[in-house]
């Protein structure tokens, strides 16, 4: 019920009226560190480590967790970098769980076995593990870390043995790129026997302040050429046909994102500033780390989460986006919510969803 009320408050106060809201964002993504112990070919976290150093103290992290809970946020996702390297992670999660906030973490899996007992004790709800292939050498080559796949499987099996009643839930996310596209259906099928939930995500680049910040030129070996569209479409057709869980707008539109991104700007409207905030390691808070035209709305070293959510800068950015003047499109897992809203009957006609 609290999550539903937070969503309603967001619709009324931030989307319709664009005024300060008594409640905070429905979702918070907390990028706790850009430190990482692997060197993925499509990731820019090691560069971002210099730009966004960890500057939130343990005491302030505890306070932020209480502020998030008090703001009635529904879910907090911890990511990075490698989230399991952050020394304050489990203490902060325990605070959130005492307030019944849903919590998930995203990890490369290298430290999964080592951290299993702490993960279970903290009360984490979901673990998302990045797995790009069911062939060890192929996964490890893209991630630039020998034996990583073996470590991941050991960690997953150990976690499955230690957990109770299938909690925390284990989810795999496969980054789709040129090297694994043709084997995608097989990868998903094999991973489905290892984890509780499988998902896929397109390789992306150009994010201003996020881990997916590499340019298309840098990612040239992994991203798709225009003449490969037919092959990509065929793979996605088979993937969706063979997996009911992928039969939705989010997955159907991934090829279109790669080959005609500009056509999605009007089709998939942005909901980011009305529903979520992203906390960076240095305390800066963005609603969007993809588009550099949207600067930080504040810093948690100086302000509370609710003050930033209702700040003049957030209201300014919301006004532009609620009128669809942003003319941009990004593609990450949170885009799935945008696609869901896009499928709501009459969503293009209701002012709530399509304010002009």
């Amino acid at each position: 019920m609290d999550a539903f009320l937070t969503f309603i408050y967001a619709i009324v106060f931030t989307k319709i009226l664009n005024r300060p809201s008594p409640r905070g964002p429905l979702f918070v993504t907390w990028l706790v560190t850009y430190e990482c112990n692997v060197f993925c070919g499509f990731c820019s976290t090691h560069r971002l480590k210099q730009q966004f150093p960890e500057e939130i103290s343990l005491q302030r992290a505890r306070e932020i967790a209480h502020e998030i809970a008090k703001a009635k946020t529904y879910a907090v996702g911890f990511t990075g970098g490698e989230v399991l390297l952050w020394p304050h992670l489990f203490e902060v999660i325990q605070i959130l769980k005492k307030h019944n906030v849903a919590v998930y973490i995203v990890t490369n899996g290298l430290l999964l076995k080592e951290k299993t007992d702490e993960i279970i004790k903290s009360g984490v709800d979901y673990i998302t593990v990045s797995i790009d292939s069911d062939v060890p050498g192929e996964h490890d080559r893209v991630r630039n870390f020998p034996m990583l796949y073996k470590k991941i499987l050991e960690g997953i099996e150990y976690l499955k043995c230690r957990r109770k009643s299938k909690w925390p839930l284990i989810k795999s996310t496969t980054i789709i790129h040129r090297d694994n596209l043709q084997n995608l259906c097989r990868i998903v099928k094999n991973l489905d026997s290892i984890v509780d939930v499988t998902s896929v995500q397109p390789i992306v680049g150009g994010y201003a302040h996020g881990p997916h910040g590499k340019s298309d030129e840098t990612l040239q070996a992994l991203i798709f050429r225009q003449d490969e569209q037919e092959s990509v479409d065929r793979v996605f057709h088979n993937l969706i046909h063979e997996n009911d869980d992928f039969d939705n707008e989010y997955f159907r539109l991934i090829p279109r994102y790669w080959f005609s991104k500009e056509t999605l700007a009007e089709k998939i409207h942005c909901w980011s500033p009305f529903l979520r905030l992203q906390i960076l390691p240095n305390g800066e808070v963005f609603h969007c780390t993809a588009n550099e035209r949207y600067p930080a709305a504040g810093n948690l070293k100086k302000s509370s989460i609710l003050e930033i959510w209702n700040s003049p800068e957030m209201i300014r950015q919301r006004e532009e986006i609620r009128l669809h003047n942003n003319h941009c499109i990004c593609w990450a897992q949170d885009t799935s919510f945008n696609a869901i809203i896009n499928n709501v009957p009459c969503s293009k006609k209701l002012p709530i969803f399509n304010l002009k």
Side-chain angles (χ1 to χ4, degrees):
M1 179 58 73
D2 255 355
F4 178 73
L5 287 175
T6 300
F7 175 69
I8 295 301
Y9 271 75
I11 294 294
V12 173
F13 285 94
T14 69
K15 179 67 172 174
I16 299 175
L17 301 176
N18 195 18
R19 295 178 181 174
S21 172
R23 291 190 176 213
L26 188 65
F27 307 109
V28 168
T29 301
W30 196 336
L31 294 97
V32 293
T33 180
Y34 279 135
E35 185 72 51
C36 196
N37 45 12
V38 300
F39 301 88
C40 305
F42 46 77
C43 187
S44 55
T45 53
H46 294 284
R47 174 181 58 81
L48 290 169
K49 172 72 175 175
Q50 308 303 318
Q51 186 179 352
F52 299 101
E54 295 166 37
E55 296 178 347
I56 299 177
S57 67
L58 173 58
Q59 179 57 37
R60 183 65 189 120
R62 292 190 191 111
E63 293 169 355
I64 293 168
H66 285 292
E67 289 172 9
I68 290 171
K70 188 176 180 181
K72 302 298 181 181
T73 290
Y74 164 64
V76 178
F78 290 90
T79 184
E82 174 45 49
V83 66
L84 294 177
L85 292 174
W86 193 49
H88 312 321
L89 178 67
F90 298 111
E91 186 170 347
V92 172
I93 289 175
Q94 286 176 330
I95 292 172
L96 292 168
K97 292 310 302 175
K98 286 178 182 178
H99 294 282
N100 297 316
V101 177
V103 174
Y104 68 90
I105 65 174
V106 181
T107 175
N108 61 38
L110 181 60
L111 300 176
L112 190 56
K113 184 175 181 179
E114 178 182 329
K115 299 291 185 178
T116 285
D117 290 343
E118 291 176 277
I119 289 170
I120 293 173
K121 182 180 178 182
S122 69
V124 170
D125 297 285
Y126 305 95
I127 307 289
T128 298
V129 187
S130 301
I131 310 177
D132 297 334
S133 177
D134 58 339
V135 177
E138 292 178 2
H139 173 82
D140 296 348
R141 183 170 59 252
V142 174
R143 298 282 171 166
N144 289 306
F145 197 97
M147 304 301 289
L148 176 58
Y149 186 85
K150 181 175 182 290
K151 288 279 191 180
I152 291 172
L153 260 57
E154 289 175 353
I156 289 174
E157 289 306 313
Y158 186 69
L159 178 56
K160 288 164 72 174
C161 290
R162 297 284 295 169
R163 67 183 182 174
K164 297 179 180 179
S165 303
K166 284 196 173 182
W167 292 100
L169 201 73
I170 305 170
K171 175 183 177 181
S172 68
T173 294
T174 299
I175 302 292
I176 311 165
H177 49 77
R178 289 182 71 193
D179 287 354
N180 65 5
L181 175 72
Q182 297 304 324
N183 298 319
L184 189 59
C185 292
R186 188 200 70 208
I187 292 169
V188 169
K189 181 179 180 180
N190 288 337
L191 290 179
D192 199 45
S193 66
I194 297 171
V195 299
D196 303 309
V197 180
T198 56
S199 187
V200 298
Q201 183 176 335
I203 187 168
V204 298
Y207 280 34
H209 306 298
H212 302 289
K214 287 194 172 183
S215 66
D216 286 352
E217 290 76 16
T218 307
L219 296 172
Q220 191 170 9
L222 295 173
I223 61 177
F224 299 96
R225 302 188 307 266
Q226 285 296 321
D227 62 2
E228 294 176 301
Q229 182 171 359
E230 184 177 343
S231 176
V232 171
D233 287 341
R234 184 171 58 251
V235 170
F236 269 84
H237 172 79
N238 294 335
L239 178 71
I240 291 168
H241 178 73
E242 295 175 13
N243 300 273
D244 290 342
D245 289 344
F246 294 160
D247 188 10
N248 60 56
E249 191 84 339
Y250 172 72
F251 296 107
R252 285 195 295 268
L253 289 178
I254 287 176
R256 188 165 161 184
Y257 169 76
W258 280 322
F259 298 107
S260 55
K261 183 187 301 186
E262 65 284 351
T263 67
L264 290 175
E266 288 301 319
K267 182 175 179 59
I268 305 296
H269 295 154
C270 178
W271 277 78
S272 180
F274 314 109
L275 296 174
R276 67 194 296 259
L277 285 179
Q278 300 182 65
I279 305 170
L280 270 59
N282 67 345
E284 290 187 344
V285 178
F286 296 76
H287 80 82
C288 169
T289 57
N291 193 334
E292 62 185 356
R293 72 188 286 177
Y294 298 118
N299 193 304
L300 284 167
K301 293 184 294 182
K302 303 175 181 178
S303 307
S304 72
I305 197 82
L306 198 56
E307 287 171 342
I308 294 173
W309 182 241
N310 291 323
S311 68
E313 179 58 28
M314 274 299 297
I315 291 173
R316 183 194 71 79
Q317 293 181 26
R318 283 193 191 111
E319 186 63 20
E320 180 172 310
I321 292 172
R322 73 200 281 263
L323 297 176
H324 311 310
N325 291 329
N326 51 309
H327 306 299
C328 61
I329 182 71
C330 65
W331 208 266
Q333 285 289 6
D334 51 275
T335 312
S336 59
F337 186 89
N338 300 350
I340 290 170
I341 291 295
N342 185 65
N343 278 342
V344 172
C346 301
S347 68
K348 297 298 184 187
K349 298 179 180 179
L350 294 176
I352 284 178
F353 298 121
N354 196 35
L355 188 66
K356 287 287 186 181

